[in-house]
Amino acid sequence: MPVSLLGATEIRRLAADLDVTPTKKLGQNFVVDANTVRKIVQAARVTASDRVVEIGPGLGSLTLAILETGASVVAVEIDHRLAARLPATAAAHDVPADRLTVIDADALRVDELPGEPSVLVANLPYNVSVPVLLHFLETFPYLQRGVVMVQAEVGERLAAPPGSKIYGAPSVKAAWYGSWRLAGTVSRQVFWPVPNVDSVLVGFDRDAEPRGTEEHRRRTFQIVDAAFQQRRKMLRQALSGVLGGTSAEASATLEKVGVDPTLRGEQLTVEDYARIAAL
């Protein structure tokens, strides 16, 4: 039998059964619209041959939409009650037991995933969305693409190009791993409870080859953090602490790689930062 999806009535019943009151801290705004979860899965280009990791499955509405394609899912859930219930919910919706694996854990502490999934799909709360994404991209090099639903502010920043007003450290760090794009908007009305912020889908495709070694990445991110910690300052000032100790030494280093020391951090690409870090 085909996998069936959760409806709004069943989602509320499951929450009542588990005594789950959606909390802002865990970002528990549950999606109650089948078209929306299918839209997310379609944006992620999930196929029956894929193994997908889902972060924060909650009550399982997006999980079932992924499983509906024939793909298998590794679901990482921080809420013990939700993690314990998800396999039973999946079974009740005709999901074969071997297609879903649930990991009861904080996503930021997960350092191993069974089956090496290549696709990431998630609905992430504002306060952990960027750290979780960067942790997964750093820790699991076999993740090749994905789509996450996040607050509009976060998604727009992740996909922002250099020079734009919202381009920041998360934009550069995300770009270290590959290309990012806005992949759609999400109505507030598809959530329960209805949030007071807008949400978007943001997608990524990992670069075919790593940009550098782990040591190079750490050094690059250190320089990125310094550049954006003092936003709107010239690079020769902002980076003096990590490039020699003085503005003059920072200027000399920047000039070696062809970067104007009077530019500001938000004007540099990830390639620029990687060149600086390589010295």
Side-chain angles (χ1 to χ4, degrees), residues 100-119:
L100 173 65
T101 302
V102 179
I103 298 175
D104 183 348
D106 180 346
L108 283 168
R109 298 181 180 277
V110 172
D111 57 12
E112 187 176 3
L113 293 172
E116 299 193 352
S118 60
V119 184

Side-chain angles (χ1 to χ4, degrees), residues 26-274:
L26 295 179
Q28 290 173 328
N29 295 95
F30 300 117
V31 180
V32 295
D33 178 68
N35 289 332
T36 298
V37 291
R38 284 182 172 134
K39 174 183 176 180
I40 297 169
V41 172
Q42 185 176 23
R45 310 192 304 274
V46 176
T47 68
S49 61
D50 286 323
R51 188 165 180 82
V52 179
V53 58
E54 183 191 6
I55 306 170
L59 293 167
S61 54
L62 179 54
T63 315
L64 292 175
I66 301 168
L67 291 162
E68 184 184 39
T69 68
S72 59
V73 173
V74 177
V76 181
E77 174 56 60
I78 192 172
D79 188 312
H80 306 309
R81 297 165 300 172
L82 300 179
R85 182 59 174 262
L86 190 56
T89 301
H93 285 258
D94 301 307
V95 175
D98 61 351
R99 296 248 316 280
L100 173 65
T101 302
V102 179
I103 298 175
D104 183 348
D106 180 346
L108 283 168
R109 298 181 180 277
V110 172
D111 57 12
E112 187 176 3
L113 293 172
E116 299 193 352
S118 60
V119 184
L120 184 152
V121 177
N123 171 16
L124 294 174
Y126 176 86
N127 59 329
V128 298
S129 49
V130 171
V132 164
L133 282 172
L134 293 178
H135 171 67
F136 268 62
L137 288 166
E138 174 193 336
T139 308
F140 307 116
Y142 41 78
L143 288 174
Q144 295 302 306
R145 68 179 191 276
V147 167
V148 296
M149 180 162 56
V150 291
Q151 281 191 21
E153 176 189 341
V154 175
E156 289 164 2
R157 187 176 293 274
L158 285 168
S164 62
K165 288 183 178 179
I166 56 174
Y167 184 73
S171 319
V172 185
K173 291 178 180 180
W176 172 270
Y177 299 101
S179 59
W180 293 75
R181 68 191 183 281
L182 291 176
T185 57
V186 181
S187 167
R188 299 183 186 189
Q189 303 307 313
V190 305
F191 293 98
W192 170 68
V194 176
N196 58 6
V197 294
D198 293 321
S199 297
V200 298
L201 304 180
V202 61
F204 72 89
D205 289 279
R206 189 187 286 269
D207 291 338
E209 296 295 331
R211 191 173 296 278
T213 63
E214 175 61 12
E215 182 180 357
H216 188 196
R217 182 196 68 78
R218 289 179 184 273
R219 176 61 173 161
T220 301
F221 283 17
Q222 179 191 31
I223 292 170
V224 169
D225 286 336
F228 286 96
Q229 188 174 13
Q230 303 182 70
R231 198 175 177 93
R232 291 184 292 279
K233 280 197 173 183
M234 292 182 184
L235 287 168
R236 65 188 180 195
Q237 297 170 290
L239 298 184
S240 61
V242 292
L243 295 180
T246 67
S247 293
E249 289 179 283
S251 292
T253 300
L254 292 166
E255 287 167 354
K256 282 182 184 178
V257 294
V259 173
D260 184 346
T262 66
L263 292 177
R264 289 167 174 78
E266 53 266 36
Q267 295 172 277
L268 268 59
T269 65
V270 67
E271 289 82 9
D272 293 329
Y273 282 108

